[in-house]
Amino acid sequence: NPMRLGLCSRSKDVIEPMLKPQWWVACDKMAAEACEAARSKELEILPNFMEPTWFRWLENIRDWCISRQLWWGHRIPVWYVHESQDALDASRSGTGKGSSPIYVVARNEAEATEQAKSAHGEHVVLYQEEDVLDTWFSSGLWPFSTLGWPDEEAEDMAKFFPTQVMETGHDILFFWVARMVMMSYGMTGKLPFHTVFLHGLVRDEKGRKMSKSLGNVVDPLNVIDEQGCDALRFTLATGTAAGQDLNLNMDRLASNRNFTNKIWNSGKFV
């Protein structure tokens, strides 16, 4: 049988998986609260037929790996505690990343240093975790982290949290919306919003999600140049419904261009 060899999509280098320790979050309690909020209608998900998706994800929740081996993102706020510089250098040799069984969690390096020295002595040397947070973890903090949190008395926090409506695509109901609800419950004890309105996606004519790698992105500016702005607006307005996707077909756009042109000519006649 032919062997499948993983290659990087950009560099074409062979991908060699390496088992490494990761950071995880237990989601059971937060997921249960998010489920109960939807059942009690304290949190309303629109359209209603998306609710089973919500429960299917959250009722089968697993621990969440939140660490990523990337060079961009929010660096995990964990500082490993070493007895000396030599001990740190040894832990970073080879494939090591400076980890230690002893660590502190803090908001910044100064706070971490104070904690470590208080618990383990003045001689310690610290090294921050190199991994960054999963994008969805950082995004899940958005409803309150942008408003002055953790200062619960911040003006924006008091005025705008919780908010009312979250409107987004149905494809990230779990990846973002559920994470925002879970994180808000975990960090503030409150729902971040009371209504979730899910719109559909504009896909290509074959029903595929548009992406640069596939080369199937439809540039609306090009569509406007070819078919006109009214035709594009009319197609999007008549072809979308809450939670339903729209396959953007060029023939349909041309047909709607002809229709809107008839409306225009009729208007001039009247």
Side-chain angles (χ1 to χ4, degrees):
N1 295 327
M3 181 181 74
R4 181 179 178 186
L5 186 64
L7 299 176
C8 175
S9 62
R10 293 177 182 264
S11 67
K12 307 306 178 186
D13 291 329
V14 176
I15 298 174
E16 301 182 54
M18 295 179 65
L19 295 178
K20 288 195 169 189
Q22 305 289 343
W23 291 93
W24 299 76
V25 171
C27 298
D28 294 10
K29 183 176 182 295
M30 294 185 292
E33 291 173 330
C35 282
E36 181 55 34
R39 286 196 189 92
S40 66
K41 298 301 180 183
E42 184 182 0
L43 175 67
E44 187 173 13
I45 299 173
L46 301 173
N48 294 330
F49 65 75
M50 296 303 300
E51 282 189 355
T53 302
W54 179 267
F55 292 120
R56 185 168 63 251
W57 277 102
L58 294 177
E59 289 176 348
N60 297 282
I61 199 75
R62 298 183 181 182
D63 290 349
W64 177 14
C65 178
I66 61 168
S67 50
R68 296 291 182 270
Q69 292 72 54
L70 302 171
W71 287 112
W72 53 90
H74 293 137
R75 199 167 174 182
I76 293 176
V78 168
W79 280 263
Y80 294 110
V81 181
H82 296 274
E83 292 183 354
S84 64
Q85 185 63 46
D86 290 340
L88 171 58
D89 293 341
S91 72
R92 296 192 65 199
S93 62
T95 59
K97 59 176 186 177
S99 60
S100 164
I102 303 173
Y103 59 85
V104 294
V105 179
R107 301 186 189 281
N108 51 55
E109 187 172 3
E111 184 179 311
T113 301
E114 183 179 347
Q115 287 187 37
K117 288 185 175 181
S118 174
H120 305 288
E122 292 289 326
H123 62 284
V124 296
V125 177
L126 301 187
Y127 187 75
Q128 188 176 355
E129 168 65 65
E130 294 178 353
D131 289 359
V132 299
L133 292 167
D134 173 23
T135 298
W136 295 115
F137 185 95
S138 296
S139 301
L141 300 172
W142 177 82
F144 48 91
S145 65
T146 57
L147 302 176
W149 180 86
D151 181 6
E152 298 283 350
E153 305 301 321
E155 182 179 355
D156 286 348
M157 188 75 176
K159 185 175 182 179
F160 298 111
F161 184 84
T163 188
Q164 289 77 41
V165 179
M166 166 54 62
E167 190 272 345
T168 189
H170 67 78
D171 57 325
I172 53 175
L173 175 61
F174 171 71
F175 299 106
W176 189 34
V177 180
R179 263 70 177 270
M180 284 191 285
V181 172
M182 289 195 299
M183 300 289 276
S184 290
Y185 268 132
M187 299 295 186
T188 70
K190 301 176 183 177
L191 269 175
F193 32 74
H194 61 64
T195 302
V196 177
F197 184 83
L198 302 168
H199 64 246
L201 308 179
V202 179
R203 298 178 178 269
D204 73 3
E205 59 185 3
K206 297 179 180 178
R208 299 175 303 178
K209 206 169 184 180
M210 294 186 192
S211 72
K212 289 184 288 186
S213 58
L214 276 179
N216 64 340
V217 176
V218 177
D219 188 334
L221 296 179
N222 293 338
V223 174
I224 291 171
D225 288 340
E226 295 171 9
Q227 307 290 357
C229 187
D230 289 338
L232 179 59
R233 286 172 173 166
F234 185 77
T235 301
L236 295 177
T238 59
T240 57
Q244 301 288 349
D245 294 346
L246 167 67
N247 296 348
L248 193 59
N249 185 291
M250 294 301 109
D251 291 338
R252 184 177 182 182
L253 277 162
S255 175
N256 287 336
R257 176 202 61 201
N258 295 337
F259 177 76
T260 54
N261 188 53
K262 290 181 184 296
I263 298 295
W264 170 256
N265 288 331
S266 300
K268 287 199 300 181
F269 178 77
V270 171

